[in-house]
Amino acid sequence: MNKVVENVEEACKDITSGVTIMLGGFGLCGIPENAIAELVKKSITDLTCISNNAGVDDFGLGLLLQKHQIKKMISSYVGENDEFERQMLSGELEVDLIPQGSLAERCRAGGAGIPAFFTPAGYGTEVAEGKEVREFNGKPHILESALTADFAIVKAWKGDTAGNLIYKATAKNFNPMMAMAGKITIAEVEELVPAGELNPNEIHTPGIFVQRIFQGETYEKRIEQRTVRTK
Amino acid sequence: MNKVVENVEEACKDITSGVTIMLGGFGLCGIPENAIAELVKKSITDLTCISNNAGVDDFGLGLLLQKHQIKKMISSYVGENDEFERQMLSGELEVDLIPQGSLAERCRAGGAGIPAFFTPAGYGTEVAEGKEVREFNGKPHILESALTADFAIVKAWKGDTAGNLIYKATAKNFNPMMAMAGKITIAEVEELVPAGELNPNEIHTPGIFVQRIFQGETYEKRIEQRTVRTK
Amino acid sequence: MLSKTEIAQRIAQELQDGWYVNLGIGIPTLVANYIPEGIEVEFQSENGILGMGPFPFDGEEDADLINAGKQTITALPGAVYFDSATSFAMIRGQHVQLTVLGAMEVSETGDIANWKIPGRMVKGMGGAMDLVASAENIVVAMMHTNKKGESKLLKSCSLPLTGVGCVKKIVTNLAVLEVIPGKGFQLLERAPGVSVEEIQKATAGTLIVEGEIPEMKL
Amino acid sequence: MLSKTEIAQRIAQELQDGWYVNLGIGIPTLVANYIPEGIEVEFQSENGILGMGPFPFDGEEDADLINAGKQTITALPGAVYFDSATSFAMIRGQHVQLTVLGAMEVSETGDIANWKIPGRMVKGMGGAMDLVASAENIVVAMMHTNKKGESKLLKSCSLPLTGVGCVKKIVTNLAVLEVIPGKGFQLLERAPGVSVEEIQKATAGTLIVEGEIPEMKL
């Protein structure tokens, strides 16, 4: 089952204005750099982006925001991005803020065919507005629904031609659940190997969830908060 | 964080009659052989066991059935066990049969603090009796609740002193979700190593879900259906 | 009339390139032996493997590597292991394109019963309820009649249901049929040498026969 | 009056051996520097690591290894990486014994507001709503008053809530307080040199003072 496409252009060829896209990553860690650059290049607009964060002003999803390509963001935390805050407060950008755990679980649910589940997160807050509340074990919970997307774009460390993926360290984050929840899931990887080279015991995302895979060209892997100690 | 206990006696010391126990494994594959033997030896009774299968007559959970130690089984498939079928049809044994995917997801939900979720599995069947039905995307779903247990007993291939676990091949099955859903989770492993020896990228069950870990003494690893081809 | 092997052979013609397929125990398992030339499919077994290969050579069995029928198997290059929750996420989330399974009864509305005979056989549903409730394509592989000669294609099922309105296609030893919701079993193909009348006689539910019914090719 | 560092130091006294702990951004992060002797705890960061270690040495940063504050970190022996769904399964499933986080306001019924100032600051709640709704033990680390000198311990919060009735303990620069549902903030300890009257003055919500209030030990 060969899922390999030539390059990022080929992988993103049918992503058009107005679609909903999930993008893996936490801050700038584990984001699909090549595909984001391609979306910027394609100049498509009116995108709904589901991503935990919105990048920084000049990297990650911030690049799409700068060019006003995003109509709506569904995220949990969008600090560290002045342009985002400006567009949101001015009303140019629709924003749906979701508790991080609910965002992760809603993506997983979307991929797993679970249309809705109960969670305690957000009860009694504005997140719960319009949502069903039910008590379990004496504790109120709200009903959250599944999220899916026309395209999910994820970034992995290693991948094989069958679409199996291995992530590195905390660059895993939202990538595995989003890979499950895309109608078409596109994976970009740092190292693409033939099927059979990855240990089937060590694979994080089974290839069944991935429709297209390609090797990314370069990775800047920008660090958002470089914190070090001295020897 | 050292989770190591001396041996199986120590690991199971506070498991008493009447408790609810989850046991990992699919058929005889990936079952906690040492702990099951210990439960037989302890002669505790009135157990509620949550396990995908019920072993065979003379191995796995079949050993507990033979001695009438189980009051209630919560499973998805209990064929391959005549004594089970006899006890169930005669009414000696309470049985709650659950679709396999719902069983897996209900254990995960129990471990993940999700009290209930909707699934299409079982709609229109006796599994749906007394359960809420709701339509999503034009398709009826039923509301299933989380499962937890006083003890979860799982079997892994490798484990470290911090309770991190790696399973082998299809011996993984229900073990990871059950590890999440036990109030006390006991892991028996074929190979116990010091914390730091397992690659943190390759761990299937994070140690936070495991309260006790020990190295199993011997593993028979009986094969239920030996199927081979000739060269 | 088709043998069990031929039923599997006919079902294999339904496979499409790039599909992920879940095969049930019994006749469905045999489908893996007849993958058409030039088509690549991958087999999922719900106990936790994608990329299931053939049985191992004698002496090479691994107790930790089995399929959902608890048979020792092998893994092909590109295979992957996963837990039961992830496995049913694939199934429930409709990432598996085709499910082939056996049945005791099928109704003309697509209901299926294959897990329980009250008071007699209670083995449990295993993954069948999840599979039939979730799959986009379900093909039932079964004999047209039971051991007593009674039709297994009914107006409505008499046994406890596994799923409601989910069966799309049925391949039996006599015919290939499609469930047309609200109408009945549409006869698509006859087994070699089997007449429409014979199929009609063996079918208790509504049989829809439109035009010439071709003989199936194997 | 305590410095931020001393607030962290006092909170560290709450740690118990064997606990898994999630530390928020800001003062809470500093708690990791004051783990009491003879106690072993493991730090969870909700972006996907258990067993978080100190910052890396200069030149050894790994862009793929960060904490929830997006800071470069290291992993200790026994560490493990996982995805965001698993991370919040740990949190929601109450496998994390203690959460320490900052707040803009806390009410005497245990409500907390720390994510939004309408029309002005909208960064999002991140994992805070999941953490406060799920944790068995929540300790809030904050200044007793805001920059304008107004109390942050209120009868009820004025800002959009992060969670309802979830805060158990508060450690400020002035005091250690416990939320007693239906009653108010019970004063447990005073910061060195701070009087009950000063704490009373800085507390807008109901302050419960019973008997002699000891000075905290650092």
Side-chain angles (χ1 to χ4, degrees), chain A residues 1 3 111-112 164 180 196 200 209, chain C residues 18-20 40 78-79 81 92 95:
Chain A
M1 210 88 99
K3 311 280 181 83
N164 295 306
M180 295 167 72
F209 295 123
Chain C
W19 272 9
Y20 292 92
E40 216 184 334
Y81 309 122
R92 215 188 295 101
H95 305 278

Side-chain angles (χ1 to χ4, degrees), chain B residues 115-137:
Chain B
F117 61 89
F118 285 96
T119 174
Y123 166 74
T125 75
E126 61 186 58
V127 161
E129 280 167 25
K131 288 175 186 158
E132 181 181 336
V133 174
R134 197 181 295 194
E135 235 176 65
F136 295 92
N137 307 314

Side-chain angles (χ1 to χ4, degrees), chain A residues 9 39 53 70 86-87 119 139 142 156 190 214 218:
Chain A
E9 289 82 15
L39 295 179
N53 312 89
I70 302 178
R86 195 198 61 68
Q87 288 188 22
T119 173
K139 192 172 163 175
I142 62 176
E190 291 181 53
F214 69 95
T218 54

Side-chain angles (χ1 to χ4, degrees), chain A residues 65-83:
Chain A
L65 281 166
Q66 271 184 8
K67 286 185 65 190
H68 293 81
Q69 294 177 262
I70 302 178
K71 184 184 71 177
K72 183 177 180 178
M73 277 293 311
I74 299 175
S75 301
S76 91
Y77 188 80
V78 292
E80 274 82 79
N81 190 320
D82 294 336
E83 175 63 13

Side-chain angles (χ1 to χ4, degrees), chain A residues 35-44 60 63-64 67 69:
Chain A
I36 291 172
E38 174 66 15
L39 295 179
V40 172
K41 201 176 114 196
K42 281 168 79 87
S43 294
I44 48 173
L63 299 170
L64 288 166
K67 286 185 65 190
Q69 294 177 262

